[in-house]
Amino acid sequence: MGSQMELAKRRLFDTEGLQAGNVKLFPGSNRDATAEQMAQQVNMAIAQIEAGDYDELVNFDD
């Protein structure tokens, strides 16, 4: 397993991580994306959230 996969696994599922339980990932339009590439995107997204680099979306249906 690649380093990105190991890192994503720890960040998502370990007790020190997010303790996620039900995660589904879809490759979108790039059906040739490898598991390592998808794990890299997961790691980048988690890093952005941890750094506060995100925009909150407003739900107008509430």
Side-chain angles (χ1 to χ4, degrees):
M1 212 179 291
S3 60
Q4 291 291 323
M5 289 287 290
E6 285 295 324
L7 180 58
K9 181 176 76 172
R10 286 194 310 271
R11 292 178 100 174
L12 288 170
F13 304 114
D14 277 358
T15 55
E16 296 85 26
L18 297 173
Q19 297 180 342
N22 187 8
V23 177
K24 293 175 180 62
L25 302 173
F26 300 94
S29 61
N30 183 0
R31 300 291 177 190
D32 296 326
T34 66
E36 188 72 6
Q37 290 169 327
M38 291 182 74
Q40 181 181 19
Q41 293 298 311
V42 167
N43 290 326
M44 287 182 359
I46 293 172
Q48 282 182 292
I49 293 167
E50 290 173 343
D53 183 16
Y54 61 89
D55 295 322
E56 288 189 40
L57 301 177
V58 178
N59 184 352
F60 293 106
D61 293 334
D62 288 340

